[in-house]
Amino acid sequence: MGRYTKREHAAGKFWLDKRPNSPAWCICWMEGRQLRRKSTGTDNLDAAIRELKAHYLAGDTPDVQDVTRVPIADIVLAYYLQHGQHLPSRKWITYAINHWVRFFGEAESVWGATRPARIERFIDDLRQRDLKASSINNVLTAGKAALSRSWRRGELTRQVHVPSVKVTKVQPKGRPLSAEECAAWLDESAPHFHALLLICLATGSRPEAVKQLQWTQVDFDDGLLHLNPEEREQTSKRRPVVKMPPLLIAYLRQLPRESDFVVSFRGKPVDRYYTALGESRRRAGLDGRVNLYSPRHTVARWMRKERVPFEELSGQLGHRVRGFAITEIYAAYSPDYQALATAAIERLLQTIAAHSQSCQFLIQRGAGPAGHLGVCASLPRTVSLHEASGPQ
């Protein structure tokens, strides 16, 4: 394998070296009696050291580390590389971890970083960067999760405390809408956004769940919508199994299947929808407080007015109901599963359809199977796919 030059930097059993006449630094380690190497792809020593640390932290860390010596940056980076990057919330975790590393640097110890005065300065720094209290709590929670995980795995000598900040009650994202406003919004929506909006109204789901909905999650035989795919682990933002109202069944039956995803644009899943949201909202004369969480709050408020029991309302919205999780997988197949919630949402959809030109065909067909016309054929105002600027 050739003769290596001087050792420049080490991390555990790994070190950096250069082969003669080779511009790039290599990460080296021993496997038994054999020397292994992996190029860092750079001749810059600082960049190579960062690559070495990431390579080291992505694997197993030592059995136990003294909190007065181990850098907190190593703990939070190991948490991301070993665990956080595989979670649905990895983008936010990356953002939070970057704040920890930026403020505390690569050398400050866990013990020093978590002293009350030091944490308070960290919180003040986050406030100066115009982060809201809820966002600051999320950043602190990411660090707390990293430290707790490391302690549970026996990698830290002791457990340390990370405080939270007080969060005042805030208004929910997206204001509720009237049936007339929902109808106007649907009528002014491009086809792909029309589908996204109507499914949100028909389920009360979060827009991310509807955006990622695939046809394999639609059970027409039992009238169920499995909002959480089988391969996805449930998180605190639970995606329940909901009963489909008759109008939604009719709507989905006539949607063209251009891809594996229920909501698609030119045969591809919708990744971003902000341009379509803004344009349809403007054409419908709605204010800036209206967004794709508005259908969720509209459905919640409607069900309250319809006196839907709290258990069914919570189950519809994906809130955890005590004592229900164990039987949820079987309860969805019961004839009376979410019966009152589903009936209330059907009345909401029929009320919206009565004011909506783009949904009139569903009422005229008695919410039965609607043939194969497709959404474009049912929209009286021709907002074609070519006119739409794309799912932003």
Side-chain angles (χ1 to χ4, degrees):
M1 294 183 65
R3 188 171 60 84
Y4 285 77
T5 62
K6 60 183 178 178
R7 178 182 297 188
E8 291 287 347
H9 188 83
K13 65 178 182 179
F14 305 99
W15 68 90
L16 287 178
D17 249 324
K18 268 191 179 182
R19 295 188 69 175
N21 304 320
S22 175
W25 289 99
C26 290
I27 299 172
C28 305
W29 67 96
M30 296 297 297
E31 288 187 3
R33 295 184 178 181
Q34 195 169 10
L35 181 65
R36 299 290 188 184
R37 67 188 179 88
K38 172 187 175 184
S39 175
T40 62
T42 179
D43 60 354
N44 182 280
L45 181 58
D46 291 336
I49 290 173
R50 288 193 294 272
E51 183 68 22
L52 171 66
K53 177 172 282 191
H55 181 82
Y56 169 63
L57 292 174
D60 290 332
T61 49
D63 290 337
V64 64
Q65 302 177 84
D66 191 336
V67 294
T68 63
R69 295 183 179 181
V70 61
I72 195 167
D74 286 6
I75 299 298
V76 295
L77 287 172
Y79 171 75
Y80 173 76
L81 292 167
Q82 298 172 7
H83 179 67
Q85 65 174 331
H86 306 298
L87 300 178
S89 56
R90 58 186 172 274
K91 289 184 179 179
W92 173 255
I93 293 175
T94 302
Y95 173 78
I97 294 303
N98 284 340
H99 273 298
W100 281 86
V101 176
R102 171 192 58 78
F103 184 82
F104 294 109
E106 297 186 359
E108 187 160 2
S109 70
V110 169
W111 187 252
T114 55
R115 294 303 83 206
R118 191 72 173 127
I119 280 287
E120 287 171 7
R121 283 196 287 272
F122 180 39
I123 293 172
D124 288 339
D125 175 81
L126 295 174
R127 287 197 180 106
Q128 290 171 11
R129 293 174 182 273
D130 294 329
L131 268 70
K132 297 179 181 178
S134 57
S135 297
I136 293 174
N137 261 344
N138 288 336
V139 171
L140 295 172
T141 298
K144 188 183 301 186
L147 291 164
S148 296
R149 178 178 181 270
S150 190
W151 180 74
R152 289 195 307 271
R153 287 162 58 95
E155 296 167 357
L156 292 178
T157 54
R158 70 183 81 175
Q159 192 171 21
V160 294
H161 174 67
V162 176
S164 301
V165 298
K166 185 177 180 180
V167 179
T168 57
K169 187 176 180 180
V170 295
Q171 292 295 321
K173 292 185 287 186
R175 71 167 177 83
L177 302 167
S178 66
E180 292 79 7
E181 287 176 322
C182 292
W185 197 7
L186 284 166
D187 290 346
E188 298 298 340
S189 296
H192 68 277
F193 191 77
H194 189 280
L196 181 62
L197 178 56
L198 192 137
I199 298 171
C200 285
L201 285 166
T203 59
S205 302
R206 298 178 180 90
E208 284 298 309
V210 177
K211 190 180 73 172
Q212 297 168 8
L213 185 66
Q214 300 186 49
W215 285 109
T216 54
Q217 296 169 240
V218 183
D219 182 356
F220 285 112
D221 292 336
D222 291 304
L224 299 174
L225 207 58
H226 300 263
L227 290 170
N228 196 57
E230 289 184 2
E231 66 278 5
R232 179 184 179 273
E233 184 180 351
Q234 283 282 19
T235 66
S236 57
K237 304 287 187 182
R238 295 184 69 255
R239 298 183 183 182
V241 179
V242 298
K243 202 82 173 179
M244 292 190 289
L247 191 145
L248 177 60
I249 295 176
Y251 184 82
L252 292 178
R253 285 190 182 279
Q254 58 82 55
L255 270 184
R257 300 197 182 190
E258 300 175 342
S259 76
D260 293 337
F261 291 84
V262 177
V263 180
S264 61
F265 179 77
R266 295 177 180 171
K268 296 181 180 180
V270 174
D271 183 38
R272 301 178 62 201
Y273 50 77
Y274 300 111
T275 297
L277 163 65
E279 290 181 353
S280 60
R281 187 173 58 191
R282 175 181 53 80
R283 288 194 295 261
L286 301 174
D287 59 81
R289 293 181 298 151
V290 174
N291 57 37
L292 271 182
Y293 275 85
S294 293
R296 181 172 171 83
H297 298 303
T298 300
V299 171
R301 179 173 290 188
W302 178 274
M303 286 193 292
R304 289 293 291 172
K305 289 182 177 178
E306 293 282 308
R307 298 183 178 180
V308 173
F310 173 76
E311 292 77 9
E312 288 200 19
L313 189 152
S314 298
Q316 185 74 33
L317 298 178
H319 299 156
R320 188 172 295 277
V321 180
R322 181 175 296 180
F324 184 63
I326 297 176
T327 59
E328 183 177 12
I329 189 171
Y330 308 108
Y333 295 93
S334 171
D336 61 351
Y337 175 71
Q338 294 292 97
L340 297 176
T342 305
I345 294 175
E346 174 67 14
R347 288 191 289 273
L348 171 63
L349 295 177
Q350 291 291 343
T351 304
I352 293 171
H355 294 89
S356 168
Q357 293 180 330
S358 62
C359 295
Q360 280 291 317
F361 73 104
L362 292 171
I363 297 180
Q364 293 165 2
R365 299 181 185 190
H372 305 283
L373 293 177
V375 178
C376 296
S378 68
L379 291 174
R381 182 188 182 282
T382 55
V383 184
S384 70
L385 290 175
H386 302 291
E387 293 175 351
S389 60
Q392 299 294 322

